[in-house]
Amino acid sequence: AQTVTQSQPEMSVQEAETVTLSCTYDTSESDYYLFWYKQPPSRQMILVIRQEAYKQQNATENRFSVNFQKAAKSFSLKISDSQLGDAAMYFCAYRSAGGSNYKLTFGKGTLLTVNP
Amino acid sequence: NAGVTQTPKFRVLKTGQSMTLLCAQDMNHEYMYWYRQDPGMGLRLIHYSVGEGTTAKGEVPDGYNVSRLKKQNFLLGLESAAPSQTSVYFCASTDPGQGYEQYFGPGTRLTVT
């Protein structure tokens, strides 16, 4: 079974600065998808960014980018120019590309605080 | 287009009581999921369904039952609630034709006393 590990329970960053959230995963599969979800205090789960394992290029969405290291099984999220609205719980998630159920396996989350 | 909705948003139960959580989606998605979120544990999959009339166990299925009688609805039942089932419950849906994203409902906070 796949596992996802987020080793930083909490992180903090100053507004306008850059922060990197870490995620590692364990899998024997070669094809899969990785996701970062954001959960603000409203509790709504919001997809931030996704990465297909077969793509070498790191995904980018505006101020959010990932550093995907397939051999190291590492998938970190970089938030540039941090804003107060980025304060949230962030979850890393894994999904197999094979199979027929599209299940997600989540890490335990990293709580990000943004200081003004 | 409401997306994924969950009923109720909050509920308090006494130990031993039963209840059903309703998840509804209006995106015509085939796949639906129930997760629970506990502090420090992330989201864990309880049960899921890959189509109307089908259900399967996830990572933490004990104490829960589910039904998918209609494609747009996925019900999660607790027959005899226990304090260990105090949690926030999320429903999600997706479809192979929609790409990769799971769409989540707003969550239900359940407290069992």
Side-chain angles (χ1 to χ4, degrees), chain A residues 33 35 37 39 42-45 47 50 52 54 89 91 95 100-109, chain B residues 9-10 31 33 35 37 40-43 45 48 50 88 90 94 96 100-102 104-109:
Chain A
Y33 303 98
F35 306 85
Y37 277 87
Q39 186 182 45
S42 67
R43 223 166 52 194
Q44 183 67 48
M45 294 287 287
L47 179 64
R50 70 167 183 258
E52 291 91 337
Y54 63 86
M89 182 72 85
F91 292 100
R95 201 205 92 191
S100 59
N101 55 45
Y102 290 36
K103 292 187 294 182
L104 289 175
T105 300
F106 286 88
K108 295 183 177 181
Chain B
K9 289 187 168 49
F10 302 93
Y31 299 172
Y33 310 84
Y35 296 91
Q37 181 181 12
M41 297 298 293
L43 278 75
L45 183 65
Y48 64 97
V50 298
V88 178
F90 286 95
T94 192
Y100 314 100
E101 182 175 358
Q102 283 194 12
F104 284 81
T108 295
R109 180 175 292 280

Side-chain angles (χ1 to χ4, degrees), chain A residues 17-116:
Chain A
E17 308 238 317
T18 295
V19 64
T20 299
L21 308 184
S22 300
C23 173
T24 59
Y25 56 94
D26 186 26
T27 184
S28 59
E29 299 175 331
S30 59
D31 200 12
Y32 47 87
Y33 303 98
L34 297 164
F35 306 85
W36 279 99
Y37 277 87
K38 171 185 178 181
Q39 186 182 45
S42 67
R43 223 166 52 194
Q44 183 67 48
M45 294 287 287
I46 302 165
L47 179 64
V48 174
I49 200 166
R50 70 167 183 258
Q51 175 79 42
E52 291 91 337
Y54 63 86
K55 290 187 177 179
Q56 293 186 336
Q57 186 173 5
N58 289 326
T60 298
E61 289 286 344
N62 299 314
R63 297 181 296 107
F64 298 86
S65 61
V66 299
N67 183 6
F68 173 49
Q69 301 289 329
K70 190 172 184 180
K73 297 180 183 175
S74 171
F75 181 61
S76 60
L77 175 69
K78 185 172 83 171
I79 306 174
S80 304
D81 185 25
S82 297
Q83 301 175 359
L84 294 177
D86 295 333
M89 182 72 85
Y90 287 82
F91 292 100
C92 179
Y94 172 103
R95 201 205 92 191
S96 173
S100 59
N101 55 45
Y102 290 36
K103 292 187 294 182
L104 289 175
T105 300
F106 286 88
K108 295 183 177 181
T110 297
L111 181 62
L112 178 65
T113 303
V114 181
N115 301 309

Side-chain angles (χ1 to χ4, degrees), chain B:
Chain B
N1 198 348
V4 180
T5 59
Q6 293 183 228
T7 308
K9 289 187 168 49
F10 302 93
R11 184 73 185 268
V12 178
L13 287 179
K14 294 187 186 304
T15 297
Q17 288 185 319
S18 63
M19 77 163 294
T20 300
L21 281 66
L22 170 63
C23 175
Q25 51 94 5
D26 60 2
M27 298 173 282
N28 202 36
H29 286 172
E30 285 290 338
Y31 299 172
M32 297 186 74
Y33 310 84
W34 276 108
Y35 296 91
R36 61 177 287 174
Q37 181 181 12
D38 303 293
M41 297 298 293
L43 278 75
R44 293 180 292 170
L45 183 65
I46 305 171
H47 285 281
Y48 64 97
S49 168
V50 298
E52 183 179 317
T54 76
T55 63
K57 293 180 180 180
E59 182 185 354
V60 287
D62 293 345
Y64 305 95
N65 56 76
V66 288
S67 64
R68 184 99 180 267
L69 298 180
K70 293 183 179 181
K71 185 177 183 179
Q72 63 268 35
N73 295 339
F74 194 28
L75 279 62
L76 178 71
L78 287 73
E79 290 187 349
S80 179
S84 61
Q85 294 177 304
T86 293
S87 188
V88 178
Y89 292 85
F90 286 95
C91 177
S93 71
T94 192
D95 194 281
Q98 295 289 322
Y100 314 100
E101 182 175 358
Q102 283 194 12
Y103 295 83
F104 284 81
T108 295
R109 180 175 292 280
L110 174 67
T111 302
V112 183
T113 61

